[in-house]
Amino acid sequence: MVVRTKVSSSGAESELNLGLLMFIPYRAMEKEVLDALAAAGFDDVTLAQARVFQRINANGSRLTELAEAAQLTKQTVGFLVDQLERAGYVERTPDPRDRRARLVRVADRGAAAVRASAGVVAEIEARWAEHLGPARTAQLREALTALREITDPYA
């Protein structure tokens, strides 16, 4: 569990941990993107579905890969992918590396949702950059990119 704040003996709040400081703006972006997608007609995507959907590789992903990347069980991811498939966001196709396996790929409707969300993400990043200024934005991007070296097993 992540503790949001601690109160010191003087009654002052201590600093938030770095993980939470990174998560708060991400969650704000995530919400704004989902709201914009809903307004654009993609109103049947849940947060859980979106978190799995965004992890689909450009060439498709196996359920086991998605489950590992999303840190969810294969059964949970299978359930979410079933929902995404019924809504037309993804499709399952044979894996060319192993015909017994299936790949989850982004379908046409999913690609349209990705295009719709890309503009929203760009707008949010532009607002953040305006707020932080060019130097701090560059420093933030550089620092977060460097953190990927020790935190992202898929980098």
Side-chain angles (χ1 to χ4, degrees):
M1 174 175 13
V2 178
V3 176
R4 213 176 224 283
T5 59
K6 285 190 205 175
V7 178
S8 69
S9 58
S10 67
E13 288 186 1
S14 63
E15 292 183 1
L16 300 179
N17 70 64
L18 288 174
L20 189 55
L21 287 171
M22 289 184 284
F23 179 73
I24 292 169
Y26 173 77
R27 179 63 185 105
M29 176 186 276
E30 192 175 53
K31 182 181 181 332
E32 193 170 335
V33 168
L34 283 175
D35 289 348
L37 284 175
F42 303 102
D43 56 352
D44 53 348
V45 178
T46 68
L47 178 59
Q49 291 168 344
R51 286 182 176 170
V52 169
F53 181 88
Q54 70 184 353
R55 288 170 169 80
I56 299 172
N57 184 294
N59 297 316
S61 299
R62 291 182 179 187
L63 276 180
T64 53
E65 295 167 338
L66 289 174
E68 182 182 336
Q71 296 182 353
L72 297 169
T73 67
K74 186 178 171 187
Q75 292 77 13
T76 298
V77 171
F79 175 76
L80 295 168
V81 167
D82 287 344
Q83 293 175 328
L84 288 165
E85 186 175 31
R86 280 193 299 277
Y89 291 103
V90 301
E91 59 190 7
R92 287 185 171 107
T93 61
D95 186 338
R97 298 170 295 175
D98 179 354
R99 291 287 185 192
R100 297 168 295 170
R102 310 275 291 161
L103 290 177
V104 177
R105 296 181 188 267
V106 175
D108 291 342
R109 186 165 189 230
V114 169
R115 287 189 299 276
S117 68
V120 179
V121 170
E123 289 171 13
I124 295 166
E125 285 191 3
R127 279 197 322 265
W128 291 356
E130 183 179 334
H131 178 74
L132 293 173
R136 288 171 65 195
T137 300
Q139 290 171 337
L140 177 62
R141 182 170 296 280
E142 182 181 323
L144 293 174
T145 300
L147 274 177
R148 282 190 72 193
E149 296 169 10
I150 62 169
T151 61
D152 185 356
Y154 306 102

